[in-house]
Amino acid sequence: MRPAGTEISEEALERDIKQVGTELHASFPSALRHPMRTVDTRAMEMASSDRELRAALFRFVDVVPACRSLDDVARHLSDFLDEVPDVPMPLEAAMRMANTKAGRATLGAAAARGVRHIAHRFIVGETPKEALGVLSHLWSRGVGSSVDLLGEATVTDAEANRYAQRCAGALEELADAVRRWPARSRLERDSSGTLPRANLSVKVSALTPLLRPDAPELGKRDAATRLRPLLAAARDLGAHIHIDMESLDSREAVLDLVLELLSEPEFAEGLSAGVVLQAYLRDSPSQLDQILDWASTRPRTSPPQVRLVKGAYWDHELVQARQQGWPAPVFEVKTECDRNFEALTRRLLEARPAVRVAVASHNLRSVAHAIAYNRLLGAADTELELQVLRGLGDELQDALARRGFRVRTYCPVGDLVAGMAYLVRRLLENTSNESFLHEQARNAPLETLLAAP
Ligand SMILES: Cc1cc2nc3c(=O)[nH]c(=O)nc-3n(C[C@H](O)[C@H](O)[C@H](O)COP(=O)(O)OP(=O)(O)OC[C@H]3O[C@@H](n4cnc5c(N)ncnc54)[C@H](O)[C@@H]3O)c2cc1C
């Protein structure tokens, strides 16, 4: 690594970002190889062009798993679209079909198929066993994975216990299956040692019904009773366990809980674990101080991995703050969020080996920046992990794997009902005007996509 204190010139960095970004872009698979993807993308583009239509379709997607019949699906679709003032032509035809029983059955079947098709783009299987085929296929193509068991909003002890059992079951199934996978050295080692093949992402809010901002200790204590056995299982099975970060009202409790548990003597050695840092939060730099202070005073054989994301709850945080009359905790200007993401990327890369770094983004500029800065620090490409979401980052995933980077895809597993909240968040992300993917889908020039924020 470059000696501490030596400056990296902004000019050299920008030049390298352009070069890395251009090379990656050239390695994107051609759209022709994914014809259905183009159809999905067009449907999503249509949804993003009209706010009312977008809101109606989101409400529709939300009710589909609860519908009892195709007739029911069609009636809901037509009811939601009725609220939209200017419906595009194909949808107007759909609404006319909903006027007869036979038309409703045909429309219902098509709508349900459409929702299921889009869901399968983001969700890899209903159970971990069902997902193993996709995970091993990804691995054979040089892509690691992290499994996320869908099922949000735990409100009873029984649901929390059930989620913990599903996590324990998934860890065992994954640990068993990955033994048969072929060697992929790029995905299995960095200079700090072995990287587990089996990797599970876990949500603390699903491990306790008591996670509330007014009583954080209660939620932490209750979640700890279910998280501790999972950490022990991951350690004994040689799997990695990653704790996702959710909305701001649970952030402090989640981070404190994880750092406290990882500080316990039984988890000091032999456990690979990680936390998430959300760059859209204005106070994320001080959150990083807390993580780095903790990591540097407690060196571990397997350094904790910090997954840097922008954050998935932007609209929620903004609405919540407005309702309460609080200042927004998130950046409100996208470029400020992107600049903060880059500043945090640099700090994380410089903090190694106290932490392992995972940069999770579908934004070519954010990713090219991380790769270029890592190289300018004198570190090997394999000392940095790049992560994407299944369904949103597939092209980038393929390009990264093709160019020999360490890439991991976050793979949600669960049924359609459990997946609805997840699916709606991903659709919101994909169709937001501020999103990089939206810009990319509109064929913005590469120069614009790679411009400094
Ligand atoms: C592997 C993986 C794991 C993830 N785990 C988590 C997790 O645990 N917790 C979590 O919260 N998210 C998580 N995410 C989701 C992640 O936060 C979103 O995918 C990400 O924000 C999209 O950012 P981008 O860099 O891909 O795209 P970009 O298009 O560059 O950025 C979009 C993001 O910018 C922010 N933004 C949008 N508009 C504005 C604005 N006007 N002002 C300021 N900021 C704005 C929002 O965060 C939005 O999501 C994960 C993502 C991946 C890939």
Side-chain angles (χ1 to χ4, degrees), residues 20-263:
V20 172
T22 307
E23 284 167 5
L24 273 178
H25 193 258
S27 302
F28 272 40
S30 116
L32 289 176
R33 293 202 5 232
H34 297 278
M36 278 318 283
R37 185 64 44 78
T38 325
V39 175
D40 286 3
T41 307
R42 257 196 237 122
M44 289 197 196
E45 248 175 42
M46 192 161 91
S48 63
S49 59
D50 181 320
R51 271 187 67 186
E52 305 275 341
L53 174 60
R54 195 165 161 239
L57 290 177
F58 282 133
R59 284 202 294 280
F60 167 67
V61 161
D62 222 2
V63 302
V64 167
C67 288
R68 279 183 304 271
S69 66
L70 299 180
D71 211 29
D72 219 11
V73 172
R75 210 186 308 270
H76 273 105
L77 178 60
S78 149
D79 286 352
F80 285 130
L81 294 178
D82 257 348
E83 296 164 20
V84 182
D86 298 308
V87 183
M89 273 309 281
L91 293 176
E92 206 175 70
M95 285 167 74
R96 275 200 304 277
M97 279 174 80
N99 287 334
T100 65
K101 194 161 179 359
R104 270 205 297 280
T106 315
L107 177 61
R113 258 201 317 277
V115 170
R116 230 173 261 131
H117 172 76
I118 293 190
H120 284 141
R121 173 168 163 186
F122 299 101
I123 299 171
V124 292
E126 296 218 348
T127 61
K129 197 185 274 322
E130 217 184 279
L132 288 175
V134 174
L135 305 183
S136 94
H137 181 63
L138 285 172
W139 180 266
S140 67
R141 289 163 50 212
V143 178
S145 57
S146 185
V147 165
D148 160 45
L149 297 178
L150 292 167
E152 311 195 18
T154 293
V155 291
T156 63
D157 274 342
E159 283 169 344
N161 289 338
R162 168 99 191 93
Y163 177 73
Q165 277 165 10
R166 285 170 62 217
C167 288
L171 279 171
E172 281 188 14
E173 244 163 325
L174 286 170
D176 178 49
V178 300
R179 281 194 215 111
R180 293 184 286 278
W181 291 358
R184 287 284 175 276
S185 59
R186 186 207 312 160
L187 302 175
E188 301 192 69
R189 276 203 88 69
D190 67 4
S191 62
S192 294
T194 308
L195 296 157
R197 294 176 170 192
N199 186 313
L200 182 72
S201 288
V202 170
K203 286 195 172 51
V204 172
S205 68
L207 283 174
T208 171
L210 303 176
L211 197 64
R212 285 195 298 265
D214 49 342
E217 284 305 317
L218 192 66
K220 273 170 57 183
R221 262 204 311 279
D222 193 51
T225 60
R226 298 185 184 89
L227 185 52
R228 211 176 264 116
L230 289 178
L231 295 179
R235 179 200 57 208
D236 297 345
L237 292 164
H240 175 87
I241 194 156
H242 214 103
I243 314 301
D244 284 354
M245 196 54 90
E246 302 171 65
S247 51
L248 181 60
D249 51 12
S250 63
R251 181 191 64 176
E252 222 168 290
V254 169
L255 187 62
D256 289 352
L257 169 69
V258 177
L259 299 190
E260 279 167 29
L261 288 184
L262 294 184
S263 304

Side-chain angles (χ1 to χ4, degrees), residues 146 201 203 243-247 276 278 280 307-314 330-338 341 359-363 366 387-389 392 408-410 426 429 432 434-438:
S146 185
S201 288
K203 286 195 172 51
I243 314 301
D244 284 354
M245 196 54 90
E246 302 171 65
S247 51
V276 173
Q278 293 161 316
Y280 66 3
R307 176 200 294 158
L308 179 64
V309 302
K310 282 171 194 152
Y313 306 83
W314 186 81
V330 289
F331 291 105
E332 288 175 79
V333 177
K334 173 71 163 58
T335 46
E336 284 181 30
C337 172
D338 290 351
F341 190 88
V359 169
S361 170
H362 312 112
N363 184 321
S366 306
Q387 296 189 350
V388 298
L389 296 178
L392 280 188
R408 185 178 306 281
T409 297
Y410 185 96
R426 295 291 78 86
E429 194 170 327
S432 152
E434 298 267 25
S435 121
F436 175 87
L437 288 173
H438 190 251

